[in-house]
Amino acid sequence: MTGALRAAALPLLVFGLLAAAPFLGLGAGWAMTLLARAMILGIAALSLWLVVGGAGLVSLGQAAMLGIGAYAVVVLDAAGVTEALVVTPVAIGAAALFALATGAVAMRTGGVSFIMITLAFGQMAFFTASSLAIYGGDDGYTLYGRSTVAGARWMQDRLAFHYLCLGLLLGSFLLCRMLLASRFGRVLRAARENALRAQAVGFEPYPYRLVAYAIAGGIAGLAGFLLANATEFVAPSFLAWQRSGDLLFMVILGGLGSPFGAVLGALAIVLLEEWLGHLTQHWRLIFGPLLVLAVLFLRGGLVGLGRRHG
Amino acid sequence: MVEPILRLDGLRKRFGGLAVTDGVSLEVAPGEIHAVIGPNGAGKTTLIHQVSGTLRPDAGRVVFAGQDVTALPLARRARLGLARSFQITAVLPGFTALENAALAVQARSGSSFRFLRAAATEAALNREARAALDQVGLGPRAGMPAGALSHGERRQLELAIALAMRPRLLLLDEPLAGAGPEETERLVGLLRGLRGRYAILLVEHDMGAVFALADRISVLVYGRVIATGAPAAIRADPAVRAAYLGEEEAA
Amino acid sequence: MTAQLLLVQALNGLQFGVLLFLVAAGLTLVFGVMDFINLAHGVQYMLGAYLGASLAAATGSFWLGLLLALPAALACGLALEWLVFRHLYDRDHLAQVLATFGVILFLNEAVKVIWGSAPLQVPIPDALQGGIALMPGLVYPVYRVAILAAGLATAALLWLLVERTRAGALVRAGASNRPMLAAMGVDTGRLFMLVFGCGAMLAGFAGVMAAPILSVDPGMGDTVLILAFVVIVIGGIGSVRGAFVAALLVGVIETLGRSLLPDVMRLFLAPSPARQAGAALGSMLVYIAMALILAVRPRGLFPARAG
Ligand SMILES: Nc1ncnc2c1ncn2[C@@H]1O[C@H](COP(=O)(O)OP(=O)(O)O)[C@@H](O)[C@H]1O
Ligand SMILES: [Mg+2]
């Protein structure tokens, strides 16, 4: 097998399985809900991968962008707008703008404070959502129904929604791959490996990283739009910082080396959480230590694991 | 007299109480190889840092191609045509040799805010990157990850990256450092080939190489230039012999 | 009336700031000296509160509870250091963030299992019941004054330790230039444990003191952790002095913002939108202040690290 084919084999297999899942005995309501959730969080994890694996910045505030996308659905719903062709661009744009504004501040300080400042801005978004009593405050906001597409209600259909999520997951994955391979991505990768070298040939990393962060924000906003529609309910917990931590875990567990790692990590963790949740109400007692062990011992991520043995 | 491509004007830099650059003024003419020599700790690397923009001088000016660049950061100076190599090799280990050079070509070939097309398939970038690699004799290793190259090859790659920038001035900080005798010979031949085509500010420890290559030499001791002149004049200068060359001969 | 309210809220803000400082001091030192990002530092604060509450209830005395909770918090901190953290010192920040996040998930859940999800009530000790008349018609609780005093005293003690002792000199050297420590032949492993233990105990102390006036619940460490991060970013990473100034600033802004802004907004808006806008803006105020300060001083108010 050639290298390119081999690299594509795992993504092809996984996306193929997701496409076939409804006909492989996973067509039941709970299974479809779970899969949709996994794919949506996969999109969010991909967005974070662009920041961490692509630009080399560790962010602990990605859930804020996800939540802003979801709250865009809420705000427009409250205003009587449920048309996806309007709601989606607003969700993406709002999240990207938030990323642009907060990223501009966080990146200026450079290095480690980026983690803390993204965390702080994420918390700001969380508290803001909690204080918005018109949108339910802490209790959240229940949507009347899913968004319409050009007036049609086909997002209500379980199967249609499944393939919408799958299509957007695949699209986000291909987008991330394309971005990293482009001129823009080459500068990002260079700045990640050695910022001084990038500067010495004439690239100031700041604007490239900032744009990457904003694009990632937009992708997370898209995931937020989908998540709001999947659950037909939005609450401040969408923006909780623990979710940012979860997303980071997905990215690392999958492996930083390729965007597919984020997809794999998201699937693995959503399924793991579901399974542990069935075992015990206190599943975090198991999940937390598993996370620690994964960090200590699984350095290349799941994708790396496959490589080594494959 | 021709307008110099680089003029340093009373540069000063202190680290704590130590004056590492102490009123350095010198000029590099177009096409000239101007070597800076001096004992270890004389402040040569610090000087290169101030010329390239990695360090801000406390006082003085750096004038490049008639423009005062003292306040400009590294990346801006690089885009103006100031290319530097690092004393401690700083190539991108995860990039192939070709992509290392292509990045430098890309920096001067239009906007890099292009998102759609794979950069690796841009023939124009690859062609020029390949030419720079060929120029330093790394052509056959183009597809290797830089991290897998030998130490000497990485030094060559440093040079190829600088050449790929199509610079108006090359700042080379000990390009021969750590190279074996054969590699040294090849690198010196390579630098000789650049002579007359590029202005070069060369910091180097290898005296044989310096005297073979340089059009002019400045001697830096404790952050001060104690002499500037043609190689023969420097060799004969009693102050230089006392401060520096004598020390080498005694050793 | 408004002037009195302002004074009371300002005092509350200072007192919250002092607690924040106790948490942030450990965080900034651990980070400054060890280059280690410890998300689980907030958990130390939570453990302090829970241990203090339980031990006070078991012994029937708040003071005995406090006295026993401190070594218990220290033991927890050192156990975590031994089990998890010391394997992370030579890893990148990403690994540190994730692994300590895992520790938080575990401990928050463990606290729920042991003590339940409902907030615990901790009575104010008898000796500190009642209030002090600060001015005619304005009575301020003694216990809150005591927190302020104890916090300031601890801050002073910490300042003496860092500025006037040999260990403190090493800590400062480590915060400004880490490679130098190893070059000087310092036993970094022991220094790390010392700094780490101090940090854990300070956070635990803050937790015990906060228990009677703030809610003791399983998420309490996270909120404080994030505010402590804001504090050390504003103060300048690695700087204890910066953490002190920034902690008071953040404490006051947070408290005044949340309590007064809804009222302030009523000057401009109708009552209901004023409450909404005031609450939203009040909760954002600290972060807006952080953004403004960083826009002007990207390295914080008192940058500790050279170069
Ligand atoms: N960042 C720095 N901080 C403090 N001292 C420095 C720094 N960089 C260099 N120095 C000191 O400046 C002097 C000159 O260093 P350098 O420019 O590297 O000399 P050279 O390249 O000529 O060997 C040395 O004594 C070195 O210790
Ligand atoms: Mg040097």
Side-chain angles (χ1 to χ4, degrees):
Chain A
M1 240 196 300
T2 68
L5 235 157
R6 195 192 186 122
L10 189 60
L12 276 175
L13 178 71
V14 171
F15 281 114
L17 280 177
L18 282 173
F23 309 103
L24 296 177
L26 290 174
W30 67 269
M32 297 283 279
T33 306
L34 186 64
L35 282 177
R37 183 182 159 76
M39 290 189 286
I40 292 167
L41 289 179
I43 297 175
L46 269 171
S47 78
L48 183 58
W49 179 86
L50 193 58
V51 177
V52 183
L57 297 164
V58 182
S59 159
L60 207 43
Q62 200 66 7
M65 270 64 96
L66 180 82
I68 286 170
Y71 268 92
V73 179
V74 167
V75 171
L76 289 174
D77 183 85
V81 181
T82 55
E83 172 53 52
L85 297 179
V86 177
V87 179
T88 316
V90 171
I92 293 174
L97 264 181
F98 181 79
L100 194 66
T102 56
V105 175
M107 256 171 236
R108 250 171 67 81
T109 61
V112 288
S113 16
F114 189 78
I115 302 174
M116 307 180 195
I117 299 172
T118 50
L119 176 62
F121 280 129
Q123 194 73 349
M124 173 177 94
F126 172 79
F127 281 131
T128 307
S130 311
S131 69
L132 294 174
I134 28 169
Y135 304 121
D138 277 327
D139 300 329
Y141 182 98
T142 304
L143 295 169
Y144 175 71
R146 288 186 179 169
S147 302
T148 54
V149 183
R153 310 196 55 88
W154 62 257
M155 270 170 74
Q156 299 286 8
D157 182 72
R158 219 190 277 153
L159 212 56
F161 192 69
H162 179 85
Y163 287 112
L164 176 68
C165 292
L166 179 59
L168 290 175
L169 176 67
L170 183 63
S172 306
F173 167 64
L174 294 176
L175 176 71
C176 284
R177 272 195 17 176
M178 179 185 78
L179 284 177
L180 258 279
S182 72
R183 278 190 174 206
F184 171 77
R186 179 184 267 171
V187 178
L188 274 188
R189 286 181 286 127
R192 182 190 67 208
E193 284 204 16
N194 186 340
L196 190 62
R197 170 41 80 193
Q199 287 167 322
V201 298
F203 292 112
E204 202 60 73
Y206 183 88
Y208 297 91
R209 288 177 174 165
L210 187 56
V211 168
Y213 192 62
I215 294 175
I219 299 175
L222 174 69
F225 161 81
L226 287 175
L227 196 59
N229 273 294
T231 51
E232 298 181 36
F233 170 75
V234 177
S237 64
F238 278 42
L239 300 87
W241 77 277
Q242 286 90 342
R243 187 187 295 277
S244 295
D246 266 0
L247 289 173
L248 204 53
F249 185 24
M250 292 172 186
V251 171
I252 301 304
L253 181 68
L256 271 181
S258 109
F260 188 69
V263 178
L264 211 57
L267 296 178
I269 287 184
V270 169
L271 296 181
L272 178 69
E273 284 183 355
E274 178 74 14
W275 180 61
L276 288 179
H278 277 297
L279 289 184
T280 160
Q281 172 198 355
H282 300 293
W283 55 275
R284 287 197 185 81
L285 285 180
I286 307 169
F287 189 74
L290 275 181
L291 204 172
V292 176
L293 292 175
V295 171
L296 290 181
F297 298 110
L298 197 70
R299 296 211 183 183
L302 292 177
V303 170
L305 209 63
R307 288 248 164 83
R308 231 171 302 141
H309 299 291
Chain B
M1 176 176 166
V2 259
E3 178 75 8
I5 184 79
L6 176 74
R7 201 174 79 237
L8 306 182
D9 209 359
L11 284 188
R12 283 174 199 285
K13 181 81 195 172
R14 303 182 74 88
F15 287 122
L18 189 68
V20 180
T21 307
D22 197 2
V24 170
S25 298
L26 59 79
E27 295 186 347
V28 180
E32 175 189 41
I33 298 187
H34 190 140
V36 174
I37 62 173
N40 250 328
K44 304 181 296 293
T45 297
T46 306
L47 186 67
I48 293 276
H49 281 320
Q50 292 169 80
V51 178
S52 67
T54 343
L55 271 181
R56 273 293 183 84
D58 299 334
R61 294 197 313 154
V62 179
V63 181
F64 178 62
Q67 183 184 352
D68 186 338
V69 298
T70 319
L72 297 186
L74 176 61
R76 287 282 301 283
R77 294 189 204 188
R79 288 203 295 278
L80 289 174
L82 232 166
R84 69 165 294 178
S85 75
F86 292 87
Q87 178 172 1
I88 297 163
T89 317
V91 295
L92 301 168
F95 281 34
T96 62
L98 186 71
E99 205 178 10
N100 265 285
L103 179 75
V105 179
Q106 185 183 317
R108 57 171 173 79
S109 317
S111 170
S112 279
F113 282 100
R114 294 190 196 164
F115 305 95
L116 302 180
R117 182 163 168 205
T121 64
E122 288 199 44
L125 298 186
N126 289 343
R127 196 173 335 109
E128 291 193 49
R130 169 73 71 160
L133 291 180
D134 284 337
Q135 211 176 341
V136 302
L138 265 187
R141 312 287 270 169
M144 289 277 279
L149 297 175
S150 74
H151 176 81
E153 287 171 331
R154 265 179 277 165
R155 304 250 35 137
Q156 284 166 269
L157 181 56
E158 279 266 348
L159 203 56
I161 293 170
L163 291 176
M165 292 168 69
R166 224 182 257 163
R168 296 153 83 183
L169 175 68
L170 275 169
L171 299 172
L172 303 179
D173 194 358
E174 305 209 13
L176 306 180
E182 273 170 43
E183 278 168 354
T184 299
E185 203 171 311
R186 189 167 59 221
L187 283 165
V188 169
L190 215 152
L191 291 174
R192 191 174 289 125
L194 302 179
R195 190 174 191 169
R197 290 192 286 149
Y198 295 91
I200 299 178
L201 185 64
L202 171 70
V203 167
E204 188 43 65
H205 241 86
D206 185 324
M207 286 305 130
V210 167
F211 281 96
L213 288 168
D215 299 301
R216 274 199 300 167
I217 296 175
S218 290
V219 183
L220 199 66
V221 177
Y222 295 126
R224 288 169 189 272
V225 176
I226 61 164
T228 296
I234 291 296
R235 214 190 292 265
D237 190 312
V240 175
R241 295 188 77 91
Y244 184 55
L245 294 177
E247 168 198 296
E248 288 253 308
E249 273 158 27
Chain C
M1 170 61 205
T2 21
Q4 287 181 359
L5 185 67
L6 195 68
L7 183 64
V8 166
Q9 292 296 0
L11 281 173
N12 283 349
L14 283 177
Q15 164 242 306
F16 184 48
V18 160
L19 289 177
L20 269 180
F21 169 72
L22 294 181
V23 178
L27 201 59
T28 204
L29 281 180
V30 164
F31 186 74
V33 180
M34 310 181 202
D35 196 23
F36 178 58
I37 298 197
N38 181 15
L39 294 187
H41 195 71
V43 174
Q44 292 289 340
Y45 168 83
M46 174 185 73
L47 282 179
Y50 273 99
L51 288 170
S54 299
L55 291 167
T59 59
S61 153
F62 176 83
W63 302 110
L64 215 51
L66 174 65
L67 209 64
L68 293 173
L70 288 183
L74 177 66
C76 287
L78 291 180
L80 281 176
E81 203 265 355
W82 184 74
L83 263 176
V84 181
F85 300 155
R86 67 171 49 179
H87 309 292
L88 295 164
Y89 292 149
D90 59 349
R91 299 286 301 276
D92 56 11
H93 290 134
L94 183 52
Q96 297 170 351
V97 162
L98 266 177
T100 53
F101 175 62
V103 171
I104 295 185
L105 291 182
F106 176 78
L107 285 178
N108 278 354
E109 197 65 37
V111 161
K112 268 188 213 163
V113 172
I114 299 173
W115 283 284
S117 307
L120 293 191
Q121 300 297 327
V122 178
I124 292 175
D126 289 337
L128 299 176
Q129 293 281 0
I132 307 177
L134 289 181
M135 52 162 98
L138 176 63
V139 177
Y140 195 70
V142 175
Y143 186 74
R144 286 177 179 266
V145 176
I147 288 186
L148 202 53
L152 289 176
T154 314
L157 191 68
L158 191 65
W159 181 81
L160 277 178
L161 270 175
V162 172
E163 295 291 326
R164 292 289 142 87
T165 64
R166 198 183 113 75
L170 292 179
V171 166
R172 272 179 295 135
S176 62
N177 184 353
R178 205 169 303 112
M180 207 170 85
L181 273 191
M184 286 177 355
V186 173
D187 180 351
T188 45
R190 266 184 52 196
L191 184 70
F192 285 8
M193 247 173 79
L194 183 78
V195 173
F196 202 89
C198 281
M201 209 152 72
L202 281 176
F205 180 50
V208 182
M209 288 202 304
I213 52 168
L214 299 175
S215 127
V216 179
D217 60 55
M220 68 186 288
D222 301 355
T223 321
V224 164
L225 169 82
I226 295 171
L227 280 178
F229 272 145
V230 173
V231 165
I232 72 175
V233 169
I234 291 181
I237 292 176
S239 162
V240 175
R241 187 167 52 133
F244 183 71
V245 174
L248 296 188
L249 202 66
V250 166
V252 170
I253 293 178
E254 170 82 356
T255 309
L256 286 186
R258 281 186 190 267
S259 62
L260 296 188
L261 263 184
D263 288 331
V264 172
M265 292 312 254
R266 291 177 73 152
L267 301 175
F268 310 106
L269 297 169
S272 162
R275 202 161 354 97
Q276 292 245 343
L281 208 59
S283 56
M284 290 166 73
L285 208 56
V286 170
Y287 306 99
I288 294 173
M290 173 187 80
L292 289 179
I293 290 173
L294 290 179
V296 184
R297 303 190 62 125
R299 301 166 60 76
L301 296 174
F302 300 94
R305 205 162 299 163

